[in-house]
Amino acid sequence: MQYQSEAQSYYSSAAAAVGGGGGAATADPYESVLRLASGSAVVIFSVSTCCMCHAVKRLFCGMGVNPTVYELDQDPRGDEIELALSRMLGGGSAVPVVFIGGKLVGAMERVMASHINGTLVPLLKEAGALWL
Amino acid sequence: MDINNKDLHKKGALYSSSAVRPTAATLDMFPSWPLRFQHLTSTRISSIGEEESTDSGSAVNTASPSSYSDHRLRRPPPPQMDAGISADGSQPPKQIPEKRRGPGSNSDKVLDAKTMRRLAQNREAARKSRLRKKAYVQQLESSRIRLSQLEQDLLRARSQGLFLGGVGVTGANISSGGAIFDMEYARWLDDDHRHMSELRAALQAHLSDSDLRVIADGYIAHYDEIFRLKGVAAKTDVFHLITGMWASPAERCFLWMGGFRPSDLIKMLIAQLDPLTEQQIMGIYGLQQSSQQAEEALTQGLEQLQQSLIDTIANSSIDDSMHHMALALGKLANLEGFVRQADNLRQQMLHQLRRILTVRQAARCFLVIGEYYGRLRALSSLWASRPRDQAMMGDENSCQTSTDLQMAQQQQQQSSRSHFSNF
């Protein structure tokens, strides 16, 4: 059960910013979010000290999924991204947020609800994060 | 004020016009006696004597036993009543047969017999009705008193739970979020009982699926309501929820994150839900697995919160204590989020259960759930009321204790026999 380390996530975000065709500092945070989200099958935006983020990470690891985690408190552009995420979710806490297959799933409540009603696993399989 | 006085004067005049006997005098004690009964007072004095005895206690009986028996002797034939009772020749007794003359009646004598029988029957019916009403009202009154006492006891007991923390919770905190939730929960339990009866009756009556659906969905909405209430309570007093002070002790024993553990409930249900289709079995086991995974994730998240809290509190130096307290408070605020997510999990589990099962299966399933928690609560009550002197006494008394417990259990079972439904 492993998830991406901080260094890897930093490289991913830097690579994504460069690949985006614009300077990292001037890229629209929403675009960055979506770009980062499309980079992996399962993407989690998190804060390293947040316990609910820890819970959502454990959930995916417990299912055998290997999510890409971006710790916003360790990212230079973390504040912007956090703000963008908060707006995407319609207010409330920005983290944890989960993207699967590049599409927004939601915060902890949505993720758990979709797991319970059986829609999460098909979504993961479709995105190639889960086999069997 | 004037109106009242006029009324009393009127009634006083009527009373004085009728014969003044001890029983009539006692009638004056009840000026509220309706006017339409005034003309019947003379003829009904004997039966009134009976009634008064039930309504007002011993006073009337002891006051006039002799005159009472006199009147009873004179009762059957009306002419004798006229002569014996209406000394001042009051009109009402004579008027009665005339007033009661119905259509198709012939001679006065036949009419009198019929009328007298009818009157007697009316009297009897009225008397019985009054007795029934009185008994019912008394029952209502005592139930009302008992209910308010129970509510007070409940509040007191729950607030004592708040006192156990060792913190000085003042009496003003009785209306704190925890106590308010406890009252709402008590009401929810009453609703639950009602839903149980409804489910049981619906299943036994073999209602149509569409009717059953309404009742089953109603039960889901009932649970949605308690989760909503818990969400509100979590904002004001998350400790009250997470320590399970609102739940019965037996339920508290199995508490997970402020409520029942969804996967445990499914485990309990699996055996009770037969027969299920292949697809349903897959669905239920899938639900159990996903619940377990979600529970595990939340548990680990909470553990990390607890660890972080411990670190914050343990590592504070003297200089930094206020800062660390502020940090700790911030971390504690996250507790609400975990209780919310746990309740969310419970709610989603119940909804998914409803989706997997047919209407009839769902109705039976909810009945099982309701009865299960009802039994846990009953177990808690029995445990709380068991005799506590086992430690002091020897073995022979512990046998007595277990016998008492068995008897109490049997009583409990007898009273709730209908709750143990047959599937």
Side-chain angles (χ1 to χ4, degrees):
Chain A
M1 310 284 159
Q2 288 166 1
Y3 45 100
Q4 307 287 51
S5 66
E6 175 225 313
Q8 248 182 314
S9 76
Y10 178 74
Y11 284 132
S12 315
S13 64
V18 166
T26 56
D28 175 26
Y30 289 98
E31 275 184 33
S32 308
V33 163
L34 291 172
R35 201 165 38 238
L36 294 171
S38 334
S40 314
V42 180
V43 172
I44 302 178
F45 290 97
S46 155
V47 166
S48 58
T49 54
C50 167
C51 302
M52 197 54 84
C53 300
H54 181 70
V56 86
K57 290 174 211 166
R58 298 310 314 165
L59 178 63
F60 281 107
C61 295
M63 293 164 63
V65 173
N66 198 9
T68 304
V69 180
Y70 295 106
E71 303 285 4
L72 297 180
D73 55 330
Q74 291 159 359
D75 192 306
R77 301 181 53 219
D79 289 340
E80 290 176 9
I81 295 177
E82 206 170 323
L83 197 59
L85 285 172
S86 177
R87 292 217 184 103
M88 270 179 171
L89 293 175
S93 172
V95 290
V97 179
V98 174
F99 287 79
I100 297 177
K103 281 182 282 200
L104 173 69
V105 174
M108 185 53 149
E109 189 159 321
R110 277 273 62 223
V111 171
M112 282 211 309
S114 63
H115 191 33
I116 292 298
N117 68 28
T119 56
L120 188 65
V121 168
L123 211 58
L124 288 167
K125 287 184 180 170
E126 206 184 300
L130 206 57
W131 293 279
L132 253 171
Chain B
M1 286 283 261
D2 280 330
I3 296 169
N4 280 347
N5 285 337
K6 277 183 192 165
D7 244 12
L8 281 174
H9 278 308
K10 234 200 253 175
K11 286 179 182 169
L14 273 164
Y15 279 120
S16 56
S17 71
S18 62
V20 179
R21 257 150 293 279
T23 43
T26 54
L27 276 175
D28 290 340
M29 283 165 55
F30 304 93
S32 59
W33 198 254
L35 289 179
R36 61 189 168 91
F37 284 116
Q38 296 311 314
H39 63 276
L40 291 176
T41 46
S42 318
T43 55
R44 299 180 62 222
I45 279 176
S46 51
S47 47
I48 287 168
E50 287 170 41
E51 284 142 11
E52 296 290 64
S53 66
T54 54
D55 284 337
S56 56
S58 57
V60 177
N61 269 339
T62 52
S64 56
S66 53
S67 50
Y68 172 85
S69 50
D70 278 350
H71 295 154
R72 279 195 73 81
L73 282 174
R74 290 190 199 121
R75 197 176 163 194
Q80 279 187 342
M81 280 181 88
D82 274 358
I85 291 167
S86 317
D88 56 354
S90 65
Q91 292 174 345
K94 263 191 187 156
Q95 280 176 1
I96 293 162
E98 291 166 11
K99 277 187 186 173
R100 295 293 173 98
R101 187 178 295 162
S105 55
N106 299 319
S107 67
D108 273 348
K109 276 191 179 170
V110 173
L111 201 58
D112 287 352
K114 262 195 201 169
T115 312
M116 284 321 296
R117 192 171 66 242
R118 205 179 331 121
L119 283 175
Q121 281 169 353
N122 284 351
R123 270 199 296 277
E124 199 48 43
R127 190 176 76 85
K128 282 190 181 147
S129 163
R130 266 191 296 274
L131 284 174
R132 270 200 308 274
K133 181 182 175 185
K134 189 171 171 257
Y136 176 65
V137 167
Q138 274 174 353
Q139 208 180 30
L140 276 181
E141 293 286 343
S142 58
S143 295
R144 195 174 57 82
I145 291 169
R146 217 183 60 218
L147 185 68
S148 62
Q149 273 173 0
L150 278 173
E151 267 184 332
Q152 279 174 19
D153 288 351
L154 194 69
L155 262 180
R156 213 174 298 126
R158 301 284 191 221
S159 62
Q160 271 166 17
L162 292 171
F163 278 84
L164 285 174
V167 184
V169 179
T170 66
N173 277 0
I174 288 293
S175 54
S176 72
I180 290 173
F181 177 73
D182 285 346
M183 283 199 301
E184 290 169 333
Y185 180 61
R187 229 173 285 142
W188 185 87
L189 283 177
D190 288 339
D191 279 348
D192 197 62
H193 194 258
R194 206 176 24 84
H195 279 276
M196 287 290 107
S197 308
E198 215 179 8
L199 278 167
R200 208 170 288 121
L203 284 167
Q204 280 169 3
H206 298 289
L207 293 185
S208 69
D209 272 8
S210 52
D211 289 336
L212 260 183
R213 185 170 296 119
V214 172
I215 296 175
D217 289 347
Y219 198 68
I220 288 278
H222 168 67
Y223 260 93
D224 286 346
E225 177 63 13
I226 192 62
F227 294 132
R228 186 189 68 81
L229 290 170
K230 284 176 84 180
V232 171
K235 289 188 181 14
T236 51
D237 195 347
V238 69
F239 282 127
H240 184 73
L241 288 182
I242 208 167
T243 54
M245 294 314 295
W246 55 277
S248 64
E251 288 173 291
R252 213 178 300 151
C253 195
F254 303 107
L255 202 77
W256 172 78
M257 223 169 276
F260 67 84
R261 189 183 272 271
S263 57
D264 278 350
L265 189 62
I266 297 170
K267 244 181 265 173
M268 186 274 291
L269 287 171
I270 279 177
Q272 316 260 0
L273 288 177
D274 293 330
L276 295 172
T277 67
E278 195 69 33
Q279 196 183 22
Q280 283 179 325
I281 292 172
M282 297 282 288
I284 299 281
Y285 275 105
L287 181 59
Q288 187 185 18
Q289 190 186 34
S290 52
S291 295
Q292 268 169 337
Q293 285 167 342
E295 287 162 26
E296 187 55 31
L298 285 177
T299 302
Q300 293 192 20
L302 187 62
E303 275 172 8
Q304 199 197 49
L305 178 62
Q306 286 166 341
Q307 191 56 52
S308 165
L309 202 58
I310 290 168
D311 290 343
T312 306
I313 294 173
N315 290 335
S316 62
S317 64
I318 295 174
D319 303 329
D320 261 349
S321 58
M322 281 314 295
H323 171 62
H324 281 90
M325 278 305 184
L327 272 179
L329 277 175
K331 290 180 182 178
L332 267 183
N334 291 310
L335 266 181
E336 184 205 326
F338 279 97
V339 174
R340 280 296 309 136
Q341 292 308 324
D343 277 343
N344 178 43
L345 187 60
R346 292 173 191 117
Q347 189 177 27
Q348 292 299 322
M349 186 276 285
L350 288 172
H351 278 254
Q352 179 69 357
L353 206 54
R354 173 72 191 88
R355 269 177 236 125
I356 293 173
L357 300 173
T358 66
V359 174
R360 194 157 296 270
Q361 286 170 331
R364 291 207 319 261
C365 174
F366 296 151
L367 197 54
V368 170
I369 291 175
E371 286 185 354
Y372 174 71
Y373 289 117
R375 289 179 206 182
L376 275 181
R377 286 191 291 271
L379 191 63
S380 303
S381 306
L382 283 173
W383 184 252
S385 59
R386 80 196 189 285
R388 315 276 176 131
D389 53 0
Q390 286 140 283
M392 306 298 282
M393 305 292 185
D395 274 355
E396 65 264 29
N397 285 314
S398 64
C399 289
Q400 182 62 36
T401 306
S402 53
T403 320
D404 284 343
L405 256 179
Q406 277 170 16
M407 276 166 54
Q409 267 173 339
Q410 276 167 12
Q411 280 173 2
Q412 188 85 7
Q413 278 171 356
Q414 272 166 10
S415 66
S416 61
R417 185 149 283 157
S418 58
H419 294 195
F420 291 22
S421 64
N422 17 299
F423 288 107

